[in-house]
Amino acid sequence: MHTPIGDRIILGITFLGEPVFLLLICLGIGIRLLYYHCRSQATTLGMVAVGAAGLNYLIKVIW
């Protein structure tokens, strides 16, 4: 089942779940929300993004 192209595709998909990548996406969305004066949504997004990344790291360390 393993092929070189299949492995590269799966590694690319896995990269999309990296905390740094997700935080950068959330940062971009948060900046856009602030630009359109949606301060409460931007704050909520920031708290959720940092909390999710922190929880992800904590679970990996504990597990």
Side-chain angles (χ1 to χ4, degrees):
M1 288 297 223
H2 290 281
T3 63
I5 190 74
D7 290 346
R8 284 183 173 256
I9 290 171
I10 296 302
L11 284 175
I13 292 170
T14 302
F15 175 74
L16 297 175
E18 290 291 321
V20 173
F21 181 77
L22 292 176
L23 285 176
L24 287 174
I25 294 296
C26 287
L27 179 65
I29 294 170
I31 289 172
R32 184 164 189 245
L33 286 170
L34 288 174
Y35 178 77
Y36 288 109
H37 306 291
C38 299
R39 181 174 234 109
S40 63
Q41 288 92 348
T43 302
T44 303
L45 177 66
M47 291 188 312
V48 168
V50 170
L55 186 61
N56 185 8
Y57 177 75
L58 181 67
I59 290 173
K60 285 182 180 181
V61 168
I62 290 174
W63 198 264

